[in-house]
Amino acid sequence: MRHQRILTYVAEVARAGSIRRAAERLNITPSALTRQIQDVEYELGTPIFERLPQGMRLNAAGELLARHIRDQAADLDRVRSQIADLSGVRRGHVALACSQAFVTQTVPEEVEAYRARYPQVGFTVQVRDHAQAVAALTAFEADLALVLEPPPSADLHPLYSGHQPLCALMRAGHPLAAVDGPVRLRECLTHALALPDRSLAIRHHIEQALARRGVGLRPAVESGSLEFLRNLVLREDLVSLQIPSGIPDDPCLRSRPIDARDLTPMTVYLAQLRGRLLSVAAAKFADQLAARLNRQPLQARARAERTSEDG
């Protein structure tokens, strides 16, 4: 474990970019931290940092060591979790990067359910869109990523893939809410739109479909926050486009799937980094989350039927 602590010092200096800032975070003196770094460099027989006027930066040898540190930390978490399993007490930590569409209900409900069974498991949940979530996996900042249509990457190993339609979301009194069932995209375009901005995968999906038809898009409101758009829809006669997982059970909201002839369903991925061994806690949570995603289309259909009856 002492070896692991020294590697942690190296990683912190790399993150902080200076001995002084890293020493403050590690709660040791700068001189002691400097000696630890020098000892590592002496043992390796080469410098691992470039000493710059504005701080310190990993060189090529340091980058190799940093990747080793991340691998070691991931392996240690996995072993700790497996040891805890042997004793019959589930411990560990799960780091998840997920798209905004899943933080309203899906992820909170599944974290709650998992922690009800294994309260000693901790969670870190980062809200990241498709490209950023993949980056979090490759940087070992996340064990799992739950995203919409991530960019092609050889680093991704899918644990689940499925589809969810885009839905027109409006308040109960909106003209489009007067009938049920699928709605054509051209009907939505006749109303003022509140859409996700270009930082989100949903917007790219919409624009690609419209570009094939030579149709432009002029939303009344754009935002990188799906929650903001849902709240705005409750206040104005606006139409937003979101997937069912991001739409809360709210009697004041109505949703209708966009006709598949206009917008194909979006692909949902639950993935891990290819070649990485997950901790027991992360692997079991992935199984639980995948089971939820498999059930979700049935739940969405039931909710739509309830909404229709209420209307």
Side-chain angles (χ1 to χ4, degrees), residues 195-303:
L195 295 182
D197 65 24
R198 289 185 175 90
S199 68
L200 301 182
I202 291 175
R203 179 63 174 272
H204 292 284
H205 192 73
I206 297 167
E207 289 189 336
Q208 286 172 3
L210 291 177
R212 289 192 290 270
R213 294 168 171 77
V215 177
L217 192 62
R218 292 186 179 178
V221 179
E222 301 176 76
S223 176
S225 168
L226 297 181
E227 182 181 11
F228 167 77
L229 295 173
R230 288 193 297 270
N231 281 312
L232 191 61
V233 160
L234 285 168
R235 290 164 170 77
E236 290 190 48
D237 274 339
L238 295 165
V239 176
S240 188
L241 298 183
Q242 300 190 17
I243 66 168
S245 286
I247 301 174
D249 289 321
D250 187 328
C252 297
L253 285 173
R254 292 289 186 273
S255 68
R256 296 175 62 190
I258 302 296
D259 194 299
R261 291 172 290 179
D262 302 326
L263 277 178
T264 57
M266 296 191 72
T267 305
V268 178
Y269 276 97
L270 174 64
Q272 70 172 87
L273 185 64
R274 188 175 300 279
R276 180 177 179 183
L277 292 174
L278 293 177
S279 69
V280 173
K284 289 188 179 296
F285 181 70
D287 289 342
Q288 177 184 305
L289 191 52
R292 160 68 177 261
L293 294 167
N294 273 315
R295 295 193 305 269
Q296 218 151 34
L298 297 175
Q299 294 170 337
R301 203 155 36 239
R303 184 173 64 188

Side-chain angles (χ1 to χ4, degrees), residues 35-215:
R35 285 195 299 273
Q36 296 283 4
I37 298 300
Q38 290 172 341
D39 288 345
V40 172
E41 292 179 323
Y42 178 79
E43 185 177 345
L44 292 173
T46 183
I48 59 174
F49 284 98
E50 296 178 41
R51 271 71 172 178
L52 306 170
Q54 66 271 29
M56 297 177 70
R57 183 176 62 197
L58 288 171
N59 59 20
E63 291 288 354
L64 288 173
L65 180 62
R67 183 166 187 85
H68 169 73
I69 291 169
R70 290 194 295 266
D71 289 344
Q72 290 292 306
D75 284 346
L76 185 59
D77 283 345
R78 177 177 57 84
V79 170
R80 281 174 173 157
S81 185
Q82 289 174 335
I83 291 172
D85 262 21
L86 290 175
S87 66
V89 180
R90 192 66 45 75
R91 301 178 188 272
H93 190 87
V94 181
L96 173 69
C98 70
S99 296
Q100 287 186 52
F102 304 102
V103 299
T104 302
Q105 289 179 297
T106 302
V107 171
E109 289 174 0
E110 293 309 306
V111 170
E112 177 191 20
Y114 193 90
R115 283 183 44 76
R117 296 170 62 198
Y118 311 116
Q120 297 186 72
V121 173
F123 279 82
T124 299
V125 178
Q126 309 170 42
V127 180
R128 299 282 188 271
D129 204 57
H130 51 317
Q132 293 79 13
V134 174
L137 285 182
T138 57
F140 284 74
E141 294 171 359
D143 304 311
L144 304 167
L146 177 59
V147 289
L148 292 170
E149 301 195 345
S153 173
D155 293 325
L156 279 185
H157 173 63
L159 303 172
Y160 164 89
S161 65
H163 297 87
Q164 291 199 22
L166 274 172
C167 295
L169 179 67
M170 71 291 291
R171 64 181 177 179
H174 191 279
L176 286 182
V179 294
D180 300 315
V183 60
R184 298 303 300 262
L185 185 57
R186 62 175 176 267
E187 293 181 65
C188 299
L189 296 180
T190 63
H191 298 272
L193 300 175
L195 295 182
D197 65 24
R198 289 185 175 90
S199 68
L200 301 182
I202 291 175
R203 179 63 174 272
H204 292 284
H205 192 73
I206 297 167
E207 289 189 336
Q208 286 172 3
L210 291 177
R212 289 192 290 270
R213 294 168 171 77
V215 177

